[in-house]
Amino acid sequence: MKFGYLVVLSCSILLTALSADEKKVDCIILEDENSIICKYSHARIDTEQNITVSWIEPDGTVTRKRDMVIPPFHGSVYDYRYFEGRTQGEWTFKVNHNEDEYTTSFTIE
């Protein structure tokens, strides 16, 4: 029994260490809720972080640009838009964090 706990603990520590420096963005379309939800994740640190998120239409037009604060020890922040009435095509969700830029794309059909 103790060995099982040790294996689980070791795997948990390893996965946390591997993902500690990962920064990523991801979006999901929830058609039944008329929502597009985008999330930016980063390593939890002890200082407040300022980011800027941008929603970019298929033609390159930025339709929303928003400055956001990630509180100390928080690992992610979300932004969302309503799905209905959005331009069809491939959208880009962009996050600027310090000097770095992270993007993901999703398609509205």
Side-chain angles (χ1 to χ4, degrees):
M1 193 69 161
K2 290 181 184 179
F3 179 73
Y5 288 121
L6 183 59
V7 170
V8 171
L9 180 62
S10 297
C11 289
S12 177
I13 291 169
L14 179 60
L15 289 174
T16 301
L18 289 174
S19 63
D21 289 334
E22 272 188 38
K23 294 179 181 169
K24 66 177 187 173
V25 290
D26 193 24
C27 295
I28 186 169
I29 297 173
L30 303 172
E31 290 186 42
D32 59 328
E33 295 183 21
N34 188 31
S35 298
I36 306 160
I37 301 171
C38 294
K39 173 183 171 183
Y40 170 66
S41 302
H42 72 103
R44 295 174 188 267
I45 55 176
D46 62 353
T47 58
E48 179 176 281
Q49 299 292 301
N50 295 300
I51 66 166
T52 301
V53 301
S54 301
W55 294 74
I56 305 166
E57 288 199 27
D59 68 359
T61 302
V62 176
T63 59
R64 178 176 177 147
K65 190 170 187 175
R66 185 172 175 201
D67 294 325
M68 301 177 84
V69 175
I70 303 174
F73 301 106
H74 284 242
S76 62
V77 65
Y78 296 84
D79 198 19
Y80 75 94
R81 309 281 307 265
Y82 290 109
F83 175 81
E84 190 174 310
R86 299 276 164 224
T87 304
Q88 292 185 347
E90 187 173 316
W91 283 68
T92 301
F93 180 76
K94 179 173 74 171
V95 175
N96 291 92
H97 183 181
N98 297 326
E99 301 297 318
D100 299 319
E101 180 177 289
Y102 306 93
T103 62
T104 191
S105 298
F106 58 91
T107 301
I108 296 178
E109 298 177 342

